[in-house]
Amino acid sequence: MVKLHQIEEVDKLLFINSYPIYKLKNGEVFSLEKDLPIKILDKVYEFYVYKDIIFYQENNLNNLYIKDGDKEKEIVGEFSLKGAFYSNDIYLYILGKRNNKKVIYILDYNNFDIIKIIDYNYFPESSMGNYCFYSWNYLVKCFDLLLESEKWQYTLPEGFSIFKQPQIVDNVLFFDSFKNGNEENFVVGLDIKTGEVLWQLLFKIPYKEQLLATTLNVTNNLCYGFWGKKFQIFDPISGDIMEEKIIPENINPYCNDIYDNKLWFVSGKYEECKFGYINLANNELELLQDFPQEDDETFEIVYHQKKLYLRGKYYNNLYIFEE
């Protein structure tokens, strides 16, 4: 792949209308339509994008601005996008304050009117159908979409803590957890309507077997993972590890993401930094490219419209490559 751009001081990268928009650390927001940076917002504290609509604030605990193309709407309130934001096709949920008390603003997604303000207890982080879900430490809760009634809750076995935000596929909410660092790894799949345990897996040190595949491919509802030298495929609906194989190259990735039916990864530090992908059509390693760095940087990876975006988490440089 050929490097097209290097942009410094990039605090956040999102996508709208098939092209990227990014926020610099000074608060300016630019679009990269046709590879030309165009400033679209100034003095932005925080922003999100959902279905090509930009939600942003100029200051924390202040008004919310919604930008839909050339149309813009201001909503008065004490919103905190940086605190928490979640959206589905029915409601927006935004953390904020009212009368010096932490609350959740619930907005109608069709007209962005505030329909409800409730005391903050549990903030939704995902949803499916008429249910939304919250997870923290050892607990998962299910609510109705207006957060008026709890449908069920699940508590992990003693000592385990949730490692990553639970994912949803079909009727299954699944996640992994650890105990005593990484001494034990417990993975469970729950029925989204009832909280019933559908399957569960327990792995212990020394790990002769371990679930590595937790990156969901929405095209086939399977999870993939490439860590160390092992490539793995997992079915989160049945709870079965479907396939494992060793990738002989010395790569050892530290991040995985799926785009365009490819499992993209970044590995290594300093001169040993590399990126590439495994083609999920044949499960073969098809790209491995050197990406040497002067600093001990860690990257997040996005592939979009035949371009690869690597943003450094610590030094905030954004690198853009094209095939």
Side-chain angles (χ1 to χ4, degrees):
M1 303 190 78
V2 179
K3 186 169 77 172
L4 296 178
H5 302 286
Q6 178 180 338
I7 305 171
E8 298 180 350
E9 300 293 311
V10 176
D11 183 56
K12 191 168 188 177
L13 172 69
L14 296 173
F15 290 83
I16 185 169
N17 295 324
S18 300
Y19 57 82
I21 60 174
Y22 60 89
K23 182 173 85 71
L24 300 180
K25 296 185 77 173
N26 66 7
E28 296 176 329
V29 177
F30 291 82
S31 71
L32 264 181
E33 190 174 4
K34 298 180 180 178
D35 294 328
L36 297 174
I38 300 172
K39 187 190 292 188
I40 58 174
L41 293 170
D42 202 3
K43 297 180 180 179
V44 170
Y45 175 76
E46 179 62 294
F47 82 108
Y48 282 91
V49 171
Y50 184 74
K51 290 199 168 181
D52 292 339
I53 298 176
I54 302 174
F55 305 87
Y56 72 95
Q57 286 185 273
E58 296 178 345
N59 298 286
N60 192 30
L61 294 177
N62 212 314
N63 295 347
L64 173 71
Y65 296 91
I66 301 173
K67 183 176 175 60
D68 183 3
D70 295 330
K71 297 182 294 183
E72 191 160 318
K73 181 174 182 177
E74 180 179 5
I75 302 176
V76 176
E78 295 181 76
F79 297 93
S80 179
L81 286 176
K82 193 174 283 289
F85 172 91
Y86 176 70
S87 180
N88 54 41
D89 293 346
I90 303 174
Y91 300 119
L92 296 175
Y93 306 86
I94 305 174
L95 194 63
K97 280 190 174 183
R98 185 176 64 167
N99 300 326
N100 292 319
K101 193 173 184 180
K102 192 177 287 189
V103 298
I104 299 174
Y105 290 87
I106 303 178
L107 284 67
D108 187 316
Y109 183 77
N110 292 315
N111 54 27
F112 304 118
D113 290 340
I114 297 174
I115 60 173
K116 194 173 185 182
I117 303 175
I118 63 173
D119 291 344
Y120 170 77
N121 289 301
Y122 306 104
F123 193 91
E125 57 190 12
S126 59
S127 62
M128 175 68 76
N130 295 321
Y131 305 96
C132 60
F133 305 93
Y134 158 87
S135 66
W136 178 81
N137 198 359
Y138 56 85
L139 185 67
V140 177
K141 286 178 175 281
C142 173
F143 295 89
D144 69 296
L145 292 180
L146 284 174
L147 309 181
E148 292 175 336
S149 63
E150 181 181 311
K151 302 301 182 182
W152 55 261
Q153 74 171 39
Y154 171 84
T155 303
L156 279 166
E158 185 176 357
F160 283 92
S161 296
I162 296 171
F163 179 58
K164 292 181 180 178
Q165 178 179 317
Q167 300 183 80
I168 300 172
V169 55
D170 201 13
N171 69 321
V172 181
L173 181 144
F174 67 101
F175 58 95
D176 62 340
S177 62
F178 288 89
K179 181 178 181 179
N180 297 331
N182 65 346
E183 187 175 300
E184 296 184 46
N185 178 207
F186 180 70
V187 193
V188 61
L190 307 175
D191 186 296
I192 63 170
K193 294 182 180 179
T194 65
E196 175 189 357
V197 174
L198 300 175
W199 52 261
Q200 57 188 29
L201 304 169
L202 178 63
F203 308 100
K204 297 183 179 182
I205 289 179
Y207 289 118
K208 294 182 180 179
E209 186 178 43
Q210 185 181 8
L211 180 62
L212 303 173
T214 57
T215 303
L216 180 63
N217 186 354
V218 296
T219 62
N220 61 7
N221 288 343
L222 295 176
C223 289
Y224 296 81
F226 177 29
W227 306 100
K229 290 190 173 183
K230 186 177 288 187
F231 170 75
Q232 187 183 81
I233 306 174
F234 173 70
D235 184 345
I237 296 177
S238 67
D240 296 321
I241 295 175
M242 308 293 291
E243 180 181 337
E244 289 185 339
K245 73 173 186 177
I246 299 299
I247 304 293
E249 287 80 358
N250 185 23
I251 300 174
N252 193 25
Y254 60 75
C255 78
N256 288 181
D257 273 299
I258 293 176
Y259 301 97
D260 196 30
N261 206 37
K262 299 179 178 70
L263 182 67
W264 291 85
F265 59 83
V266 186
S267 70
K269 301 290 183 69
Y270 296 107
E271 294 296 320
E272 299 300 316
C273 185
K274 296 177 172 62
F275 65 82
Y277 67 77
I278 293 174
N279 188 336
L280 299 183
N282 54 23
N283 298 332
E284 296 294 332
L285 177 67
E286 292 191 352
L287 176 68
L288 183 61
Q289 183 165 325
D290 290 334
F291 185 44
Q293 298 292 306
E294 295 180 358
D295 302 306
D296 183 17
E297 181 63 288
T298 299
F299 291 93
E300 59 184 16
I301 188 167
V302 177
Y303 180 82
H304 187 78
Q305 298 286 325
K306 298 189 180 299
K307 291 185 176 66
L308 181 69
Y309 300 83
L310 295 171
R311 190 185 75 85
K313 294 183 178 180
Y314 303 119
Y315 297 96
N316 301 108
N317 289 321
L318 173 65
Y319 300 88
I320 304 174
F321 295 82
E322 187 174 43
E323 290 188 282

